[in-house]
Amino acid sequence: MAGFAGSPETFELAGSSAQGSQISVCIFERQKKHSVWIPVGGESDGIHVISYDRAMDSATVTILGARRQLTMRTSTVASSGPAFGGRAAPVNTQYPSPPPPIAAAPVQPELPMTTAAQQQREARMLVSDLLEIGVQQRKAYQEARQRAAAGTQASPGN
């Protein structure tokens, strides 16, 4: 794996994953657009993860000899003006809007609004879960490839 070469300021916390008592964090280098999962207490590519604070979604790391506190990156939301009920509708500036529904959906009872902090935390947890699922799928895929390669090598050739 290629090592990280950026300055400590170019890194951010991109995710966390708990498997049993082991917690790993995803450290992302913005310049190279490269990330690596490192367990708390572990080290990889010159990055040592000292601790992780789940409540604050932050990790204390040492990068290239410099100690840093990395917090979970947040998404950017912009307002498109007044919306239903006088509230401003959030617009995701990173992705295009989905197409309008073909048929009107049944009216759902309005759920109580949660605070922005709760919504952000839920979104981070969802991303973390999706990243963990991706890691598990990749491991399963690699193991299947290894088994297939071992099976191909073990069978006699013509």
Side-chain angles (χ1 to χ4, degrees):
M1 174 184 289
F4 287 109
S7 68
E9 291 76 26
T10 65
F11 295 90
E12 61 186 33
L13 180 63
S16 65
S17 172
Q19 293 181 347
S21 62
Q22 181 65 48
I23 297 175
S24 296
V25 295
C26 182
I27 306 297
F28 178 73
E29 183 182 7
R30 289 182 284 253
Q31 289 177 342
K32 285 189 168 184
K33 297 184 179 177
H34 175 76
S35 63
V36 64
W37 284 91
I38 307 170
V40 173
E43 184 172 339
S44 178
D45 296 328
I47 302 171
H48 174 72
V49 178
I50 298 169
S51 65
Y52 174 71
D53 182 352
R54 179 177 283 167
M56 298 301 291
D57 277 332
S58 67
T60 304
V61 298
T62 303
I63 302 171
L64 304 172
R67 188 180 180 116
R68 295 283 183 250
Q69 184 76 21
L70 303 178
T71 56
M72 187 73 70
R73 62 182 173 187
T74 57
S75 61
T76 304
V77 177
S79 172
S80 66
F84 304 105
R87 296 182 305 239
V91 176
N92 188 335
T93 59
Q94 297 174 348
Y95 303 101
S97 298
I102 295 173
V107 176
Q108 298 289 329
E110 189 170 321
L111 299 174
M113 293 296 293
T114 59
T115 66
Q118 288 172 323
Q119 291 174 345
Q120 289 175 354
R121 187 174 194 303
E122 289 293 323
R124 286 192 296 269
M125 290 172 61
L126 174 63
V127 169
S128 177
D129 290 346
L130 291 172
L131 287 170
E132 183 177 343
I133 290 168
V135 168
Q136 292 171 353
Q137 289 176 338
R138 184 176 181 145
K139 284 180 183 177
Y141 172 75
Q142 288 174 340
E143 289 171 359
R145 282 185 61 195
Q146 288 174 350
R147 284 193 303 270
T152 305
Q153 292 173 356
S155 64
N158 290 338

